[in-house]
Amino acid sequence: GENVEQHPSTLSVQEGDSAVIKCTYSDSASNYFPWYKQELGKRPQLIIDIRSNVGEKKDQRIAVTLNKTAKHFSLHITETQPEDSAVYFCAADAGGTSYGKLTFGQGTILTVHP
Amino acid sequence: GAGVSQSPSNKVTEKGKDVELRCDPISGHTALYWYRQSLGQGLEFLIYFQGNSAPDKSGLPSDRFSAERTGGSVSTLTIQRTQQEDSAVYLCASSPRGARNTEAFFGQGTRLTVV
């Protein structure tokens, strides 16, 4: 089955700096890679996703890059703000008989210091 | 409803008792997922329902765990003979049409505490 590894587990930055979180996956049939943000005590919510037919996608201060050959994708947050502090999860979907199944990385606790 | 609904929000049970956790997905969503999140940990996959296909149960940690989805809508996760290590937040999510490349929407979770 799919295995998703996420690094780092914790990340601390100063307000205004950039933050980068990286994930690798194992299933070459994966073609959908969402990123979720989970604030303390709340449910995970989608912030951005990328499909395998593109290498990069940007939405304001958030961008995601995908390298299918190397099986890794990354989340980039620029001009970080204190409200970006949360746990971020990457995920990859599955092919085959469990197509659509999402496997998540272990999460990254991002802390943005004012 | 507007989103994925889970009940109860909180459940405290004694060790050895059985519990049932309920998930009402968004209407029309054919894919439904259960995940477990222990304190400060990641999203551990438990089970995945995809339309009328056989569910992917590969994440269930033991035979004390089971889940069903009736009529392609509501799902119930049952934990028999609960143990303290079962204490966690159980999250349900659903996605539309069961197709790939679609967002999964999460419920607010059920916080289970086994004492």
Side-chain angles (χ1 to χ4, degrees):
Chain A
E2 176 74 277
N3 183 45
V4 178
E5 297 286 336
Q6 182 172 348
H7 299 281
S9 56
T10 61
L11 180 59
S12 182
V13 299
Q14 289 296 127
E15 182 177 1
D17 287 351
S18 295
V20 180
I21 302 170
K22 298 182 179 182
C23 289
T24 60
Y25 62 98
S26 61
D27 185 353
S28 57
S30 295
N31 65 12
Y32 176 62
F33 308 91
W35 286 87
Y36 283 77
K37 176 183 180 182
Q38 186 179 30
E39 297 177 347
L40 189 63
K42 296 190 176 181
R43 72 191 75 186
Q45 292 192 301
L46 182 76
I47 54 171
I48 194 168
D49 55 18
I50 190 167
R51 293 165 176 79
S52 60
N53 57 339
V54 297
E56 184 174 359
K57 182 178 179 180
K58 188 174 182 180
D59 182 4
Q60 299 182 7
R61 297 186 296 108
I62 295 173
V64 58
T65 58
L66 171 65
N67 183 327
K68 283 217 73 178
T69 302
K71 295 184 191 169
H72 67 71
F73 56 113
S74 300
L75 177 71
H76 304 253
I77 306 175
T78 59
E79 301 171 28
T80 54
Q81 301 168 1
E83 51 265 39
D84 294 330
S85 296
V87 182
Y88 291 80
F89 293 97
C90 64
D93 76 337
T97 57
S98 287
Y99 80 88
K101 169 186 170 183
L102 288 176
T103 300
F104 285 83
Q106 299 87 341
T108 297
I109 302 173
L110 173 65
T111 304
V112 181
H113 299 281
Chain B
V4 178
S5 178
Q6 292 185 245
S7 60
S9 299
N10 286 282
K11 176 71 175 178
V12 180
T13 190
E14 292 182 351
K15 179 181 174 181
K17 299 286 188 182
D18 298 352
V19 294
E20 285 190 352
L21 312 180
R22 177 187 169 104
C23 173
D24 284 270
I26 294 172
S27 178
H29 281 196
T30 59
L32 187 147
Y33 314 75
W34 282 98
Y35 293 90
R36 178 168 70 175
Q37 188 172 34
S38 301
L39 187 62
Q41 300 299 307
L43 297 168
E44 177 189 4
F45 168 76
L46 297 177
I47 189 168
Y48 170 56
F49 295 91
Q50 165 57 285
N52 295 321
S53 301
D56 181 335
K57 304 179 181 180
S58 60
L60 296 178
S62 77
D63 59 8
R64 295 186 296 106
F65 288 72
S66 63
E68 62 178 21
R69 190 176 183 194
T70 54
S73 181
V74 172
S75 178
T76 302
L77 176 69
T78 301
I79 309 173
Q80 296 179 311
R81 305 181 302 281
T82 52
Q83 304 295 313
Q84 288 185 329
E85 60 263 30
D86 299 335
S87 296
V89 175
Y90 288 81
L91 288 162
C92 174
S94 70
S95 64
R97 302 189 306 278
R100 302 181 73 179
N101 303 330
T102 56
E103 176 182 357
F105 296 83
F106 281 86
Q108 81 282 9
T110 293
R111 181 176 298 280
L112 175 66
T113 304
V114 182
V115 298

